[in-house]
Amino acid sequence: MREGAAPGEAGAAIELEMPSASAGGTGQSPPRADGPAKVAGLAGYPADRIPADALWAFAVFTDQPHARLRHLDLAPAEQSPGVVAVLGSADVPCNEYGLTKFDQPVFVGLDHTGRSPVPCDVSRWEADHLALIVAESLPQARAAAAAIEVEWEPLPVVADLDAALAPDATLVHPYEGIGSNLYESMRTRKGDLDAGWAAAAVTVEATYEVPYQEHAYLQPEAGTSWVDAEGIVNVEIAGQWVHEDREQIAHALGLPEERIRVRYPAIGGAFGGREDTSMQIILALAARRLAERGIDRPVAMQWSREESIVGHHKRHRGRIWARWGADRDGRITAAQAEAWLDAGAYNYTSNKVMGNLHLGLGGPYELPNAAIDTHVVYTNATPGGAFRGFGAPQAAFAVECQVNRLAEALGMDPIDIRRINTLREGSPSIAHTPMPAGVTMPEVIEACARAAAQPADPENAALFSPFVSLPAWTPALRRGRGFACAFKNVGFSFGFPERCEATIVLHGEPDDGVPASVELAHAGADVGQGAHTAFLQMAAEATGVDPSRVVGRFSDTGTSGDSGSASASRLTWMAGNSILGAAEEAEKAWREGARPAIGHFRFTPPPTTELDPETGEGTPNFTYGYVAQHVELTVDIDTGHIRIDRVISANDVGRAINPRFVVGQIEGAVAQAHGHVLSEHLRSRDGRLLNPRFSTYLIPGIGDIPVTTESVVLELADPLGPFGARGMAEMGVIPYAPAVAAALADATGVWMDDFPLTPERVWAALQAAGVNG
């Protein structure tokens, strides 16, 4: 790995190349191109690349879940030791932002100039920004915050869904004129629901509660901004889509996008947590305002872990009511559901997550008769937003528990009921239209079932020795097995513009028959998943050049076209298609004698559409990924403690571009879902997070994750995927919660309709059901 120039120097791009000449193309597992630098501690993350002469910025949170600003005086902070500038709402040309909806002010303030339709005098979230203090040091900036004079008028706190949906609820966003905190909905009506209930031999009904989850990435928020000699505002930060970050910054600063440059150095995890803006806009604003004052110094920010947890969105909490019916043969005859997502104080991507949840509430099944309603609701709680799975895990918890309960009521094997009902090639989707070609849910179910019928395979498993948390044997131990499956879109949905650009340059002499080397420029973000190495592998195979002679320049709006986001399990699928197109264009130029030969390509997949607002009919996605999981657990009914003994995760990946990375993604997804289901309990009261630190929000360590995780990798080519590849990074998190819930029910006879399944909550549920050791 070769890092480019330090912040403040033009052209600071990250370059990567394969570490050895033995590196392979697609289907092989060469080492990560960024591996040596990361292992040696030389990789530059945003906090590592802050220059010595940087000024430090501190974002002052309002600390008010719901209050109206009555008085604000920033002057005392400006006069504090070491302070260079204090910025607020009056300093922002357009005081609004939002990834899919401009409903959030950059700063809460008293400046009412009409530059934004979003009223900025109300704090709707404890982490709304009140001011940005720029000082010579971070301690000086923090100390100056205490000098700000501020007065608030408390407003009723809309703490949760119940408060938000109450008949007399205070409106979180009254200016929107919708008269309710429920601000968007989706509806599906398919077939004849009454006929479906009449045909049902059994019905099951439950209300499920799904909890928050914190992203808990290793690297908390940090970044640097500066204005270069050409007057370009540069921002170096970690994110998931450099061009979207640039667009958000340009909108708020009132600048053309070409006056903004965003680049990502090494990124220490994301999982959707970096999809929305955190400090990008305020960093850029600070650098620009200081430059206008003749201060030519970079501005840096770095949040503490607590600030990071409080200050960015979470996986949505929500509520799902479901009623399903099946006939005596196990065929599902009717499915009805209504779901509510707690969007928190601002939309972020909640309206898009709602779409995924809505589709997921049909599950990977053929449903002849269905009625599904899904809603997003404003509260004064922490915003919900993108998180690995993007609404599908919440849907799968309800759907797969319903299917497992139907199987129990019918006395059927839970795998058999799925064999009968699963989507197949050509099946009608819940959106009425046929599924996109390449449906492999039946094959994935069978692969998982076959693996579950065999003893654990140590050569195909990640084996760990967990902490000794259960006795070797006691009458209180119960064992159970659970099964669940799921599908999820690959790529953006519902008509959202989808595209991905790549540039390939072939180098060589005029008489060379083949290129001597290849340059790849691509904006796609590597958030730890190994995307850039996969890009280099695909570029090598597409051009026929040895991978050791391919160099990549990545994640920089100054060097690459728009890649779209590192989200929706789309990046390998979209980037691979863009790389194939760019290679073809470069090869044409090469054959025509151009040296260097340049090829640029913008890939656009088949179009998608929004759903009909009454029926839910449409073409929401162009392809999907498929997953099934089997879980074996042991539970101590005297304490409620659960140990996961074995997990089998079967994923169809179409083609494994780098098989080692694929297995790593599966194992990582299982570990992340494991924490969500068993230990991660993020608590909120009256709009405030109560445990924003890792001492009380318990993510699993190496001794807490499943004893055995087996990855079953299927390579059933996606008809549209590059080299046949299919997006898969999110799939492993989706069915885990219902598989664990089913295994717990198998062991104890008790179904739990919410999680995390912490020992005290499991013990209380077992006691209530009369289960005793």
Side-chain angles (χ1 to χ4, degrees):
M1 180 176 183
R2 300 198 307 271
E3 291 202 356
E9 299 179 20
I14 301 300
E15 293 185 3
L16 285 176
E17 57 188 22
M18 291 296 193
S20 72
S22 62
T26 64
Q28 301 182 55
S29 296
R32 292 177 61 116
D34 58 356
K38 288 184 173 178
V39 170
L42 301 176
Y45 294 86
D48 300 321
R49 291 169 58 85
I50 295 172
D53 66 336
L55 295 167
W56 284 86
F58 174 67
V60 182
F61 293 172
T62 62
D63 194 34
Q64 300 291 324
H66 203 197
R68 188 177 306 278
L69 185 61
R70 289 304 187 191
H71 171 74
L72 177 64
D73 187 356
L74 302 177
E78 293 173 340
Q79 298 162 10
S80 296
V83 170
V84 176
V86 179
L87 304 176
S89 61
D91 298 290
V92 189
C94 187
N95 192 30
E96 64 178 15
Y97 72 102
L99 189 60
T100 64
K101 182 179 181 179
F102 292 129
D103 65 345
Q104 185 167 2
V106 178
F107 290 112
V108 173
L110 294 172
D111 179 60
H112 297 285
T113 62
R115 295 168 303 171
S116 166
V118 180
C120 67
D121 63 335
V122 174
S123 174
R124 300 174 181 87
W125 172 33
E126 64 172 326
D128 267 331
H129 292 171
L130 182 66
L132 186 73
I133 300 175
V134 182
E136 292 290 341
S137 70
L138 184 56
Q140 288 175 320
R142 290 181 184 274
I148 293 175
E149 295 180 3
V150 59
E151 294 179 10
W152 298 96
E153 174 193 343
L155 298 173
V157 175
V158 183
D160 51 30
L161 286 172
D162 290 330
L165 296 172
D168 58 348
T170 298
L171 298 183
V172 178
H173 289 267
Y175 69 93
E176 290 194 348
I178 55 178
S180 171
N181 289 311
L182 191 159
Y183 65 98
E184 285 196 34
S185 298
M186 297 183 77
R187 167 188 169 98
T188 288
R189 296 295 183 269
K190 186 180 179 187
D192 185 338
L193 197 63
D194 289 338
W197 296 131
V202 297
T203 61
V204 293
E205 181 177 344
T207 298
Y208 301 93
E209 300 283 343
V210 289
Y212 284 133
Q213 187 179 15
E214 155 63 23
H215 299 83
Y217 31 67
L218 289 174
Q219 170 215 334
E221 280 80 3
T224 304
S225 184
W226 69 96
V227 178
D228 63 24
E230 287 74 40
I232 306 299
V233 180
N234 289 256
V235 177
E236 186 171 280
I237 199 164
Q240 293 180 232
W241 187 354
V242 286
H243 286 81
E244 177 60 35
D245 283 351
R246 182 179 71 173
E247 182 179 329
Q248 291 280 316
I249 294 166
H251 177 81
L253 268 59
L255 291 174
E257 289 185 22
E258 58 267 23
R259 297 288 306 280
I260 309 291
R261 183 176 181 179
V262 178
R263 75 203 74 194
Y264 299 158
I267 301 172
F271 316 114
R274 303 188 196 276
E275 191 164 331
D276 287 280
T277 298
S278 58
M279 58 178 61
Q280 289 90 329
I281 294 172
I282 54 178
L283 265 175
L285 175 70
R288 178 166 169 77
R289 290 291 178 250
L290 290 179
E292 291 171 344
R293 301 177 190 181
I295 302 173
D296 185 21
R297 291 173 66 181
V299 180
M301 289 188 72
Q302 183 172 351
W303 279 356
S304 68
R305 178 62 67 177
E306 183 171 341
E307 288 167 336
S308 181
I309 292 176
V310 172
H312 76 247
H313 67 270
K314 310 295 171 228
R315 188 187 297 284
H316 288 85
R317 63 180 180 180
R319 181 175 300 147
I320 302 167
W321 169 83
R323 183 185 181 213
W324 285 47
D327 64 20
R328 286 291 176 196
D329 296 326
R331 189 161 299 279
I332 298 168
T333 61
Q336 188 174 4
E338 188 163 14
W340 299 265
L341 281 181
D342 184 345
Y346 300 103
N347 179 67
Y348 282 65
T349 54
S350 292
N351 52 354
K352 304 302 180 182
V353 174
M354 174 186 66
N356 257 24
L357 172 70
H358 187 78
L359 291 178
L361 287 173
Y365 305 109
E366 291 190 2
L367 300 180
N369 309 295
I372 299 172
D373 295 277
T374 313
H375 317 283
V376 281
V377 182
Y378 281 131
T379 68
N380 292 122
T382 301
F387 199 129
R388 192 179 198 171
F390 206 75
Q394 294 95 321
F397 182 61
V399 166
E400 294 301 291
C401 284
Q402 288 294 98
V403 173
N404 283 324
R405 283 169 152 166
L406 283 175
E408 181 182 70
L410 291 165
M412 290 185 68
D413 185 291
I415 297 174
D416 286 341
I417 195 171
R418 290 173 169 86
R419 288 178 173 130
I420 293 169
N421 293 286
T422 185
L423 292 166
R424 306 174 190 278
E425 193 73 14
S427 290
S429 70
I430 191 63
H432 301 261
T433 52
M435 290 288 293
V439 177
T440 58
M441 195 76 258
E443 292 87 344
V444 172
I445 290 172
E446 294 303 330
C448 191
R450 285 194 301 272
Q454 302 298 320
D457 180 4
E459 293 187 0
N460 193 35
L463 299 174
F464 299 98
S465 298
F467 294 123
V468 178
S469 51
L470 294 177
W473 183 88
T474 171
L477 295 185
R478 302 284 188 272
R479 292 181 172 85
R481 296 157 61 95
F483 192 92
C485 58
F487 74 142
K488 186 192 175 293
N489 61 295
V490 174
F492 299 148
S493 309
F494 305 112
F496 189 88
E498 177 66 289
R499 70 278 189 189
C500 191
E501 299 178 47
T503 301
I504 282 182
V505 183
L506 306 179
H507 293 278
E509 299 300 322
D511 295 334
D512 286 353
V514 295
S517 63
V518 175
E519 288 182 64
L520 167 67
H522 205 285
D526 191 327
V527 294
Q529 79 276 41
H532 291 167
T533 303
F535 293 177
L536 294 174
Q537 290 181 256
M538 292 189 289
E541 184 149 330
T543 59
V545 173
D546 188 277
S548 65
R549 291 187 283 120
V550 180
V551 63
R553 292 177 175 84
F554 298 116
S555 303
D556 185 344
T557 60
T559 62
S560 306
D562 191 353
S563 65
S565 177
S567 63
S569 297
R570 65 179 289 281
L571 198 52
T572 298
W573 198 95
M574 291 293 297
N577 277 314
S578 70
I579 288 168
L580 285 171
E584 183 177 349
E585 293 298 315
E587 287 165 358
K588 288 179 186 176
W590 181 272
R591 290 193 299 269
E592 294 169 358
R595 302 292 187 274
I598 301 173
H600 179 82
F601 188 75
R602 180 180 178 126
F603 172 73
T604 56
T608 61
T609 68
E610 294 184 358
L611 302 185
D612 182 277
E614 294 299 319
T615 66
E617 182 175 357
T619 305
N621 294 296
F622 48 77
T623 193
Y624 291 89
Y626 302 93
V627 59
Q629 289 181 342
H630 167 88
V631 168
E632 299 173 14
L633 62 73
T634 302
V635 57
D636 184 336
I637 63 173
D638 282 345
T639 65
H641 187 89
I642 293 173
R643 182 186 67 213
I644 304 297
D645 301 310
R646 186 186 187 193
V647 178
I648 299 169
S649 188
N651 296 63
D652 177 18
V653 305
R655 175 170 171 79
I657 301 300
N658 187 307
R660 185 184 293 122
F661 292 0
V662 165
V663 173
Q665 285 293 295
I666 293 171
E667 293 175 357
V670 168
Q672 192 166 50
H674 180 85
H676 189 211
V677 175
L678 290 178
S679 66
E680 298 179 29
H681 190 192
L682 190 63
R683 292 175 291 119
S684 176
R685 182 186 304 145
D686 295 329
R688 298 181 185 275
L689 292 181
L690 302 181
N691 55 328
R693 51 192 65 87
F694 288 159
S695 59
T696 48
Y697 178 79
L698 303 180
I699 61 173
I702 192 67
D704 305 308
I705 61 177
V707 178
T708 303
T709 299
E710 300 175 42
S711 301
V712 179
V713 178
L714 285 76
E715 295 188 85
L716 308 173
D718 186 306
L720 300 177
F723 312 102
R726 187 190 302 269
M728 53 71 59
E730 296 174 276
M731 309 309 161
V733 304
I734 299 172
Y736 190 77
V740 172
L744 179 62
D746 183 51
T748 65
V750 176
W751 287 96
M752 291 192 66
D753 299 335
D754 61 357
F755 61 96
L757 302 178
T758 57
E760 64 272 18
R761 301 180 82 199
V762 172
W763 180 84
L766 297 179
Q767 290 293 302
V771 178
N772 299 296

